[in-house]
Amino acid sequence: MSDLTPIDPTMTPAWEALDLRADTFAPDLREWFAADPQRTEKWTLSAADLYVDLSKNLIDEGVLDDLLALAEQTKVAQLRDAMYAGEHINVTEDRAVLHTALRRPATDTLIVDGQDAIADVHAELAKVYAFAERVRSGEWVGITGKPVETVVNVGIGGSDLGPVMAYEALAPYVKEGLTCRFISNIDPTDAGETTKDLDPETTLVIVASKTFTTLETITNAKVVREWFLGSLRERGLATNEASTAEAISKHFVAVSTALDKVAEFGIDPANAFGFWNWVGGRYSVDSAVGTALAIAIGPEGFADFLAGFNAMDRHFAEAPARENVPLIMGLLNVWYGNFLGADTHAVLPYSQYLHRFPAYLQQLTMESNGKSVRRDGTSVTYDTGEVFWGEPGTNGQHAFYQLIHQGTRMVPADFIAFATPAWPLADGDADMHELFLSNFLAQTKALAFGKTSEEVRAEGTAEEIVSARVFTGNRPTTSIMAPSLTPSVLGQLIALYEHITFVQGAVWGIDSFDQWGVELGKVLAKQIMPAIEGDAAALAAQDQSTRALIEYYRKHRG
C-alpha cells in the first residue's frame, strides 16, 4: 500500500529553486527561437495521435529540470501508480479512483475491493452496447410500435456535461435519423424548451443519476414524465395504470445503481445501467453515463472512443518523464499559476464541434482542484487550481483575445486544431479550413512573438498611437493538433486533461476526486424552499439579505 501522506510542495528543494528562478526569469521567445533553430523540434512531443507543440511556452531546460524535480519530490508518479492500481487515493471518501479502468481492454484484470473491476466494466458495457444496438436497429420500439428518433438525456454535472460535449463533438458519427437532446438545469425553461416539439411516441428518456436522488435530475425526470404521459393521454394512450406502466417501461431507462428507486419511478430495473463509486461524475462519460452517446455513435464508435482514452492512459503511465505530455503540461500549469502569477487558463478549440469542450473542462479542472486543504486536512499555503475557460476560434478572436494579447494578465492558452475537416467547404477557390487554420497559426505566432514599437513605426503609424499597437509577445501557448476529430482522438483529448488535472493535484497534495464544495448550497436550498413557498417561520430563520430577496420574489411572481 502506498504512503498517501501529502507533501507540502513549498518545503521541497525544487519549489525553492523554482521560486528563485521565477524572481529573475526574463523569457524572450523571439530570442530563444532565433538562438535555437531546433527549439520547435526539442519541445514538440507526441501522445497517441496528438501532436503537441510546447515550444511557445515560457520554458527552458532549467525550468523543465526543476519542474520534473518537483514532480519527483511530491511523488506524482507514485500517486499515479496507486491510482491505476485501485488504491483508495480519494481519501475523504475512502474510495479508489478508477476512471482509467473504464477503458482498459477486457483481457486485463484488476482486483479492487474484492471485485475484478475490468470484468465488471465489460459486463456493463455489454449491456449498454446490446441496448444501443436494439435502439439503433429499430428493434426497441415505443408503446405504439414506433422506433426511437430522439433520445433525451436527463442529468446534471458529469451526467450531462460529458455526454452533451461528446455528442456535439462527434456529430458526424451520429446515426442518421437519430438525435439526442439534453436536460440538466432545474430552470423549467430547460425541460420546457427541450420537450415542447418532441413526439412522445418516438422519444426515449435516459435518467442519469447514480443515487437516483439528485434534486435537479429527479425533478426534471418527473417533469419529463408528466409531459410524456400527458402527451400520450391527449392521444388516447396511457389511459390506465397498466398502459401507463407499459409506456414508462418502453420510453424510460436509467443510469443508476439505486435499483429500488429506479423501480419506484416506474423504470424497469432490467433497463438500468450502473457504474461504481470509484467513478466520479466528472470522469464518467466513458461509463454507462455515456449511454446516449453509445446509442448515437454506436458500440463500434464508443469502443473507439474508449480506445482513445486508453491510449492516453498508457502514455501517461509509460512515457519517460521528459516525453510525458500530461505530466509536462500539468507541471507547466503549476509553473504559471504558482510562480508566474497566472490565475486563469484558456482552452481554445479551432473546431466548432468542440464548442462545449471548455465547459466540460471547467467541471473537470475546477471541481477537481478547487481545494484549500491537503489530503491530510491541513490547509494549503499556496494557490491551487485555476479558472479554466474558453470558446471556439475564431469566435473568441472577436470577443476576448484582446485581453490575452495586450492585457495586463498573463493567460496561458491551449490551442486545439485538426488537419482534416468534417466539412471541406470552399469560398470560391479558397479552402475554408485553410483560412480557419491560418487564424489558428497566426494567433499563437502573435502571442509568442508580438510586435515591437519599431515594427509599428515602420508601418507609418502615427507616433501618438504607436504604444497602443505594440504587442509585447511572450504570451505562452500550447498547440495541439491531430489528423481529424474522431471518437478515438476525442477520448485522447479528454484523458489528456484528466491527467493534467491529476498532476497538478498531486503536486499540491490535494484530493482531486472529492467535491464537498458543492454540498453546502444543496443543503441550504432545501432549507430555503419552505420560505419561498410561504412558511413564515422558515422565512424568519433566513438572514436579512436572503429574506429580502424571497420577499421580492413573492411580491413580483406573476
Side-chain angles (χ1 to χ4, degrees):
M1 212 56 157
S2 304
D3 179 5
L4 300 181
T5 304
I7 295 166
D8 182 343
T10 66
M11 295 294 103
T12 63
W15 189 282
E16 182 180 1
L18 286 162
D19 233 350
L20 290 171
R21 188 180 293 278
D23 287 343
T24 57
F25 192 61
D28 187 338
L29 287 172
R30 282 197 178 206
E31 174 58 31
W32 290 355
F33 273 87
D36 184 3
Q38 306 303 315
R39 180 172 174 84
T40 301
E41 182 180 346
K42 288 178 182 176
W43 293 100
T44 298
L45 302 174
S46 294
D49 295 311
L50 304 185
Y51 174 94
V52 182
D53 180 357
L54 301 170
S55 65
K56 297 188 187 79
N57 279 280
L58 307 185
I59 187 171
D60 57 23
E61 290 292 342
V63 172
L64 180 61
D65 288 343
D66 288 345
L67 287 172
L68 292 177
L70 180 64
E72 184 175 350
Q73 291 164 21
T74 53
K75 300 185 178 180
V76 172
Q78 289 92 322
L79 193 67
R80 175 201 62 199
D81 294 345
M83 175 177 73
Y84 277 55
E87 294 186 33
H88 287 207
I89 70 167
N90 179 351
V91 293
T92 69
E93 297 178 300
D94 192 22
R95 292 176 179 174
V97 175
L98 276 177
H99 46 282
T100 55
L102 296 170
R103 50 264 194 156
R104 285 175 59 171
T107 51
D108 285 2
T109 299
L110 179 62
I111 305 300
V112 178
D113 301 331
Q115 284 290 116
D116 185 345
I118 309 300
D120 289 349
V121 164
H122 283 273
E124 207 63 32
L125 264 180
K127 286 175 59 180
V128 170
Y129 287 169
F131 176 69
E133 284 290 12
R134 290 180 69 193
V135 174
R136 289 169 60 85
S137 68
E139 177 190 344
W140 180 282
V141 295
I143 192 171
T144 59
K146 295 179 181 179
V148 172
E149 295 178 1
T150 306
V151 176
V152 176
N153 188 90
V154 182
I156 198 166
S159 297
D160 170 76
L161 285 165
V164 70
M165 178 276 292
Y167 173 76
E168 296 283 346
L170 299 176
Y173 295 87
V174 174
K175 179 180 172 60
E176 188 175 352
L178 186 68
T179 60
C180 294
R181 298 186 183 186
F182 299 85
I183 299 172
S184 57
N185 201 331
I186 201 171
D187 180 343
T189 304
D190 199 8
E193 288 289 339
T194 302
T195 59
K196 69 180 182 181
D197 61 344
L198 288 181
D199 181 353
E201 296 179 45
T202 59
T203 297
L204 174 72
V205 180
I206 301 173
V207 183
S209 171
K210 184 188 294 187
T211 62
F212 231 68
T213 59
T214 307
L215 175 65
E216 295 90 343
T217 299
I218 300 308
T219 300
N220 276 326
K222 290 176 179 177
V223 167
V224 172
R225 182 177 60 185
E226 286 308 306
W227 158 81
F228 171 72
L229 293 175
S231 299
L232 288 183
R233 290 184 190 117
E234 290 175 1
R235 304 180 185 196
L237 302 167
T239 55
N240 56 46
E241 187 175 338
S243 59
T244 295
E246 181 188 8
I248 295 295
S249 70
K250 290 187 174 182
H251 290 267
F252 282 72
V253 300
V255 176
S256 178
T257 52
L259 297 183
D260 55 339
K261 293 182 175 62
V262 168
E264 287 174 18
F265 187 89
I267 296 174
D268 185 345
N271 297 326
F273 309 100
F275 54 114
W276 304 269
N277 67 9
W278 40 255
V279 182
R282 57 193 176 276
Y283 297 91
S284 66
V285 66
D286 44 340
S287 72
V289 166
T291 296
L293 181 65
I295 294 170
I297 67 173
E300 186 175 335
F302 199 83
D304 192 41
F305 182 54
L306 298 182
F309 277 96
N310 183 247
M312 188 58 67
D313 293 344
R314 286 186 283 107
H315 171 86
F316 184 45
E318 299 167 6
R322 300 186 83 86
E323 301 170 18
N324 197 304
V325 174
L327 175 64
I328 294 175
M329 289 183 69
L331 291 171
L332 276 169
N333 289 355
V334 172
W335 171 234
Y336 294 136
N338 292 106
F339 300 96
L340 299 187
D343 294 315
T344 79
H345 191 107
V347 178
L348 308 170
Y350 277 65
S351 167
Q352 186 60 29
Y353 286 129
L354 285 179
H355 72 109
R356 294 293 291 164
F357 193 55
Y360 174 79
L361 293 183
Q362 286 172 0
Q363 185 195 21
L364 173 64
T365 60
M366 293 194 282
E367 195 168 83
S368 294
N369 286 340
K371 313 289 171 62
S372 56
V373 296
R374 289 187 281 263
R375 291 191 301 273
D376 61 359
T378 58
S379 295
V380 302
T381 56
Y382 41 86
D383 288 335
T384 65
E386 64 264 85
V387 176
F388 264 70
W389 57 285
E391 283 287 329
T394 55
N395 293 10
Q397 293 175 202
H398 294 266
F400 52 78
Y401 277 37
Q402 170 65 44
L403 184 147
I404 302 177
H405 279 285
Q406 290 186 307
T408 59
R409 302 175 188 275
M410 184 178 75
V411 181
D414 301 341
F415 285 71
I416 303 170
F418 305 96
T420 303
W423 295 91
L425 303 179
D427 176 16
D429 293 331
D431 184 312
M432 283 186 68
H433 190 62
E434 291 182 356
L435 173 62
F436 190 40
L437 286 188
S438 71
N439 280 270
F440 164 83
L441 298 168
Q443 292 299 322
T444 60
K445 183 174 182 176
L447 287 163
F449 306 122
K451 194 172 187 178
T452 66
S453 57
E454 290 78 11
E455 289 168 336
V456 174
R457 288 189 184 97
E459 295 174 342
T461 304
E463 187 61 31
E464 60 268 24
I465 62 170
V466 165
S467 60
R469 299 185 66 174
V470 168
F471 292 74
T472 60
N474 294 318
R475 309 284 177 130
T477 63
T478 295
S479 297
I480 302 171
M481 295 191 74
S484 60
L485 181 53
T486 63
S488 174
V489 165
L490 180 62
Q492 292 167 38
L493 283 169
I494 297 170
L496 170 63
Y497 282 93
E498 288 178 348
H499 298 318
I500 289 170
T501 301
F502 171 87
V503 168
Q504 293 178 255
V507 168
W508 291 322
I510 60 178
D511 186 343
S512 297
F513 303 100
D514 60 12
Q515 57 277 337
W516 297 107
V518 305
E519 297 300 320
L520 179 58
K522 292 180 180 180
V523 172
L524 293 178
K526 292 179 181 178
Q527 296 173 2
I528 290 171
M529 187 65 186
I532 296 175
E533 293 173 335
D535 186 315
L539 181 63
Q542 305 304 320
D543 65 273
Q544 59 178 289
S545 173
T546 303
R547 192 163 58 247
L549 289 166
I550 292 171
E551 289 169 345
Y552 177 90
Y553 161 76
R554 291 183 60 80
K555 180 179 178 181
H556 291 88
R557 169 66 187 260

